[in-house]
Each structure stands twice: as structure tokens, then as C-alpha cells.
Amino acid sequence: MLEEVERWLRTRSWSVTDRPLHRILAAKQRTGQLVSVVLPALNEEETVGDIVAVIRHDLMQQVPLVDEVVVVDSGSTDRTSEVAAAAGARVVHRDAILPRIPAVPGKGEVLWRSLLVTEGDIVCFIDADLKEFSSDFVSGIVGPLLTDPDVDLVKGMYDRPLAGAAGQGGRVTELMARPLLNMHWPQLAGFVQPLGGEYAARRSLLEQLPFPVGYGVELGMLVDSLHLVGLDALAQVDVGVRKHRHQDGLALGRMAAAIYRTAQLRLARGHLVRPSLTQFERGADGFEPRTYSLDTEERPPMVEIAEYAARKVA
């Protein structure tokens, strides 16, 4: 490991207990910064309501840390929107944001569009499939941004159990993302959960970043932030244990391919000859190929979008 990374681990890796809530609240009051929490959601009716309810109770009603909770629904066919709204979130449909640019499927697309419908100086992203959710996920990763002006982006780090076994979650992280980062961006080798969906950043950084529209958004954001603001502006906070719905092996393969493509673009900005992935599933007549297009499109930095610039002027 690079000496720079060893130093970073000592100075930019914290526990949620390092910043008591009263200290975070004092910093928010002193700086006057607004905090937005965004949940990108697709068919998450079983969990989204509980997450919203915990955030509202713990961090809006009990203490004034969070200023808004926004659920961006990316085309759910279940009751995600209704459940989220009933729990107290402001719900916005992906397609209603920036209708001039037709939306495409993908998590990164939703996160990018969320910048247009939130007000916070600090934007905190939380996946909507978390179980046994704790508000420490929000306060823990928002805390350094409120208390330390030199920090621009904070990732959550946590244990990810799989089927009751500790440390077995995050399979795409261990098999794809971590090797890529260690080989090509060794400065980022200290991140425990580089693909984790729980992180917060200053709007001033997010609006300058391109957003891969799909699963590559977290890796792309880390790499681009490193180049834009440097390693010392990035940090991570241990928030405990993350429990969520796990994907099957084929879905993980598609995630890994999209992440590799995101890395490839940043390594060479070269042309991908075959931007697709073929997998095999057993059918009535044996193994049948299924080919999926990779979500290789990227959205430009939000500061380049006229509607966003107009909103900032207003």
C-alpha cells in the first residue's frame, strides 16, 4: 500500500462515534449549510418507508440535521412512491425531472437528476433497499462535511453479511472494483466500500462531475473526485453493518461489466468495440445466451445544464 494511502487511512478514516451528534449540529448551525438526503428507488416498497421514517424521526423531528428527504422513483411498478410519501418523503418521478432530456434506466441517471430537485449544500445518497436502517448512516457520513471544510466527499464503510455470514457481501467490490482500483488508482485502495451506495458530498463537487447512468456511478464518482479535488478531500466513516437485498449472480455479472466499462473510459477514453455482455441461462433446450447492452452512457456535469444554471441564478 502506498505511504500516502497509509497516512490517509490514519487521517481520513473515522468511526461514527468520532463526531457526536451535538458537535455535528453545532457545526451545521454555525455554517448554515443545508442537508438533503436522496433515496434512489426502484420497486422498494418493503424498505423505503422505514428508511424515510427513521430519517425524519431521528434527524428532522428529534434534531434539525436533515432539511429534506427526497425519494426519486425511477419507474417503480409497486407502491414505492405511495409508501415513501406516506412516510414523509417528497417523492419525485425520474421522468418529471429535466423532461427535455429523455431519461434512461440506471441508478446514476437518478442520482444525476436529483441535483435538480434538491436544495442542500450537502447531498447524502442512501440506497432504498436497506434493512434495519440506522440514522447513523446519514449523520455519520454527513458529519465530516459539516465539521471539516477540507472534506468534499465521504463514503460509508461497513460490514456486509451475506446469508448470515459476516464479510461475504460486496462480491462485485472484491472481484472487480477493488482489483481495478488497486491496479489503476492505487490512491483509492484505502476505501473499504468503494461501491457502497451510502455517501455524501458537497453540491459544489457533485455538480462538476460526470455521472455514469448505471452501476458504474460510484466508481466513476470516486475516480473523478480524486482527480478533481485530491485524496485528502475524500474520506470514509465506519457506520456499522449494512443489510440489504442481494442480487443474483447474473445481475452481479452485469454490474461488474458496467463497472469495468466505467473504468475503461477513465483509463483511455477509448472506443469499446462491443459494449455488451452475453450470459447464459439454462432453458428447455439447454443453455441459452442472453445479451445485455451495457449502460455506457454518461451525463455531463450538472453545471453544464442550462436549467440547473438558471435555477442557481434564481
Side-chain angles (χ1 to χ4, degrees):
M1 183 178 293
L2 297 176
E3 288 185 11
E4 181 182 8
V5 176
E6 293 179 349
R7 177 190 56 77
W8 179 85
L9 283 169
R10 293 193 301 271
T11 61
R12 285 292 187 263
S13 292
W14 298 297
S15 166
V16 67
T17 59
D18 290 336
R19 288 174 176 79
L21 193 54
H22 68 83
R23 179 184 167 196
I24 298 171
L25 289 169
K28 175 179 167 63
Q29 185 175 20
R30 183 176 65 253
T31 62
Q33 296 178 90
L34 299 179
V35 176
S36 299
V37 177
V38 172
L39 280 72
L42 177 63
N43 296 328
E44 303 294 357
E45 67 176 1
E46 294 184 3
T47 50
V48 67
D50 289 340
I51 297 171
V52 170
V54 168
I55 295 171
R56 282 188 54 81
H57 176 268
D58 292 2
L59 304 179
M60 297 180 79
Q61 297 166 356
Q62 296 283 82
V63 298
L65 179 62
V66 171
D67 297 283
E68 62 177 348
V69 180
V70 179
V71 171
V72 183
D73 191 329
S74 59
S76 298
T77 56
D78 64 2
R79 298 181 62 254
T80 290
S81 291
E82 293 87 341
V83 170
R90 176 161 60 92
V91 179
V92 186
H93 195 282
R94 174 200 63 198
D95 297 347
I97 307 171
L98 199 61
R100 173 176 64 85
I101 300 177
V104 297
K107 179 183 180 182
E109 177 83 353
V110 173
L111 300 185
W112 181 72
R113 288 174 186 263
S114 75
L115 297 181
L116 268 164
V117 294
T118 51
E119 301 295 333
D121 305 288
I122 294 170
V123 182
C124 175
F125 299 119
I126 300 291
D127 280 350
D129 66 343
L130 301 189
K131 303 173 182 178
E132 301 177 26
F133 177 77
S134 166
S135 60
D136 284 349
F137 274 69
V138 175
S139 59
I141 58 181
V142 165
L145 294 163
L146 287 169
T147 59
D148 190 337
D150 294 327
V151 174
D152 288 328
L153 182 148
V154 181
K155 297 280 292 188
M157 58 176 167
Y158 30 68
D159 295 316
R160 296 183 65 180
L162 176 64
Q168 297 302 307
R171 290 162 288 174
V172 176
T173 292
E174 301 304 332
L175 297 176
M176 177 59 72
R178 199 177 309 285
L180 281 172
L181 292 175
N182 275 264
M183 287 187 289
H184 300 296
W185 296 282
Q187 286 178 294
L188 298 174
F191 277 95
V192 175
Q193 297 292 352
L195 300 185
E198 290 68 48
Y199 50 98
R202 300 191 191 279
R203 178 177 295 272
S204 57
L205 170 62
L206 293 172
E207 66 187 12
Q208 297 182 70
L209 298 176
F211 276 62
V213 299
Y215 290 123
V217 63
E218 274 86 22
L219 183 133
M221 191 177 293
L222 263 188
V223 171
D224 293 339
S225 295
L226 174 67
H227 289 293
L228 194 62
V229 297
L231 181 60
D232 282 342
L234 313 180
Q236 61 184 351
V237 173
D238 187 347
V239 291
V241 179
R242 183 186 197 267
K243 297 180 180 180
H244 66 113
R245 172 175 47 81
H246 291 282
Q247 303 274 8
D248 63 31
L250 292 175
L252 295 179
R254 296 190 289 275
M255 289 182 194
I259 289 162
Y260 178 77
R261 169 59 169 161
T262 299
Q264 183 191 50
L265 284 172
R266 279 150 181 78
L267 285 169
R269 297 291 173 183
H271 176 67
L272 183 64
V273 176
R274 188 167 180 255
S276 61
L277 173 73
T278 299
Q279 297 176 316
F280 294 87
E281 300 176 22
R282 185 181 290 279
D285 299 319
F287 285 103
E288 300 174 357
R290 299 283 188 273
T291 299
Y292 300 88
S293 297
L294 299 184
D295 43 15
T296 57
E297 185 174 354
E298 296 198 6
R299 295 305 191 188
M302 189 55 81
V303 290
E304 298 177 9
I305 301 299
E307 289 87 341
Y308 186 78
R311 192 192 78 152
K312 293 189 73 176
V313 170

